[in-house]
Amino acid sequence: MVFSKIIDVELPKRPLVGKGFSVTMVTDGEVPFPQMVVRQDDGSEHFIKDELVSKKGKNRYRFQVPAEQYQAGKTYLQIEGCRIADLDTAQADDWVKVYHEITVNEPASKKNTTKRTRKKPSPVTQ
């Protein structure tokens, strides 16, 4: 059965710059053409489709977002699927879409590894 709706979207818990992340779409049927659009505030836009999408069980599709396709800050996700396989004949209403916003963080900086030693208190003399 070809899908009619997106039931759930599993988002990354803590996406970090330089690490890549994945998003999983769960639908009520088979998706002939799943894809995701990743947008940033600077106007950049990347399509996650073809080899970046894998089927993970019945009606589950994982989108793998490479680290070079996003940056720190607000990231807008348009998760979608076309209900027909022939994209040349697809109309606007053949696409089922959901939208999500995530925040991508910079990785935590390395902690200062310099070892500190405490000075021993000097003895009190009277």
Side-chain angles (χ1 to χ4, degrees):
M1 169 177 102
V2 174
F3 87 114
S4 63
K5 65 183 174 181
I6 297 170
I7 297 170
D8 190 24
V9 173
E10 298 166 4
L11 300 170
K13 291 186 186 340
R14 292 199 56 194
L16 297 173
V17 169
K19 300 289 184 181
F21 64 86
S22 65
V23 172
T24 301
M25 171 177 72
V26 181
T27 63
D28 65 348
E30 293 292 318
V31 181
F33 189 80
Q35 72 176 17
M36 183 171 70
V37 184
V38 178
R39 294 186 178 95
Q40 301 273 183
D41 282 334
D42 68 358
S44 64
E45 183 175 88
H46 300 281
F47 286 82
I48 308 301
K49 58 184 184 175
D50 301 327
E51 68 277 352
L52 295 175
V53 181
S54 57
K55 191 161 184 196
K56 295 294 181 184
K58 185 176 181 183
N59 305 330
R60 295 176 63 85
Y61 300 86
R62 179 172 294 151
F63 303 95
Q64 190 59 46
V65 182
E68 63 274 4
Q69 293 193 349
Y70 64 93
Q71 59 205 16
K74 295 288 181 200
T75 301
Y76 308 95
L77 307 175
Q78 178 178 318
I79 300 125
E80 60 189 18
C82 188
R83 291 185 283 188
I84 61 172
D86 184 4
L87 295 178
D88 293 333
T89 62
Q91 302 295 313
D93 60 346
D94 291 322
W95 289 90
V96 177
K97 303 175 186 181
V98 294
Y99 301 89
H100 288 276
E101 179 181 307
I102 61 173
T103 300
V104 176
N105 298 301
E106 292 284 350
S109 62
K110 293 181 180 177
K111 293 183 179 181
N112 186 350
T113 57
T114 305
K115 186 176 181 180
R116 293 185 182 193
T117 56
R118 290 181 143 190
K119 288 185 177 182
K120 292 181 181 177
S122 51
V124 178
T125 56
Q126 297 181 350

